[in-house]
Amino acid sequence: MTPLRITVNGREHVLPAPPETTLLALLREHLGLTGAKLGCDVGDCGACTVLVDGLAVNACLMLAAQADGRSVLTIEGLATPDALHPIQQAFERHAALQCGFCGPGVILSAKALLDANPAPTAAEIREALAGNLCRCTGYAKMITAVHAAAQALHGATDERSPRATPVPRLPLPGGGTGGPR
């Protein structure tokens, strides 16, 4: 078992890990970082999203060995001991999360987007968050929160209201969409 050298949340670690160990298992079981969640274990839900070299990845699908020599950011490394990150502040201010299970993955996906695009449109935000499923809140407040975070971080604004473009909803049996009446 060759030791892995991985930087997590700014701290370098040298850890032995069997070849079949996923990045998610390494983070949760070896480092005690439980913000990334095991949801579907097939890369569909996004609950395990972390940033590897600044890119959002599903940690349940990435082998720990693939992170050797790379930098990983988890939700635990986003804030400082004194303050939440502006994206976390925006999500709190806009009540964009309820149960919090999807929250770490959604917030890190938003960070990857805002690092690459400081002034995203609502459509670009929806695309960036498309790999993150939420069963509680829905996505309208998340889109609003990402716009607010862009403003806080970069002074960026989208001329259109983020509420001007509704998030598409699938029709439910018997009609309706499960959206507001």
Side-chain angles (χ1 to χ4, degrees):
M1 194 173 351
T2 306
L4 304 176
R5 185 175 303 277
I6 182 172
T7 301
V8 179
N9 300 332
R11 289 188 56 212
E12 188 172 302
H13 299 272
V14 178
L15 302 164
E20 70 276 6
T21 304
T22 64
L23 178 57
L24 182 61
L26 184 82
L27 295 170
R28 292 180 61 84
E29 297 166 17
H30 296 264
L31 296 176
L33 299 172
T34 58
K37 307 290 189 248
L38 178 61
C40 65
D41 206 20
V42 294
D44 286 341
C45 73
C48 65
T49 302
V50 297
L51 302 186
V52 177
D53 294 337
L55 300 175
V57 301
N58 291 328
C60 73
L61 297 180
M62 184 175 191
L63 292 174
Q66 293 173 294
D68 190 26
R70 300 174 88 180
S71 179
V72 176
L73 178 68
T74 70
I75 195 71
E76 291 91 345
L78 192 58
T80 67
D82 299 324
L84 293 175
H85 187 277
I87 297 171
Q88 293 168 307
Q89 291 173 5
F91 271 70
E92 181 180 35
R93 188 174 333 104
H94 293 280
L97 299 171
Q98 280 184 15
C99 82
F101 192 83
C102 69
V106 171
I107 289 169
L108 288 171
S109 292
K111 180 171 181 3
L113 170 66
L114 295 177
D115 286 350
N117 179 356
T121 64
E124 291 166 330
I125 295 169
R126 279 194 303 276
E127 183 178 336
L129 300 183
N132 300 91
L133 301 180
C134 175
R135 293 182 175 196
C136 300
T137 308
Y139 301 93
K141 289 181 179 184
M142 290 181 190
I143 294 167
T144 300
V146 175
H147 274 285
Q151 176 64 35
L153 288 165
H154 307 290
T157 59
D158 180 354
E159 295 302 317
R160 299 159 296 181
S161 164
R163 296 176 192 265
T165 308
V167 176
R169 294 178 179 266
L170 295 175
L172 296 174
T177 61
R181 294 178 192 246

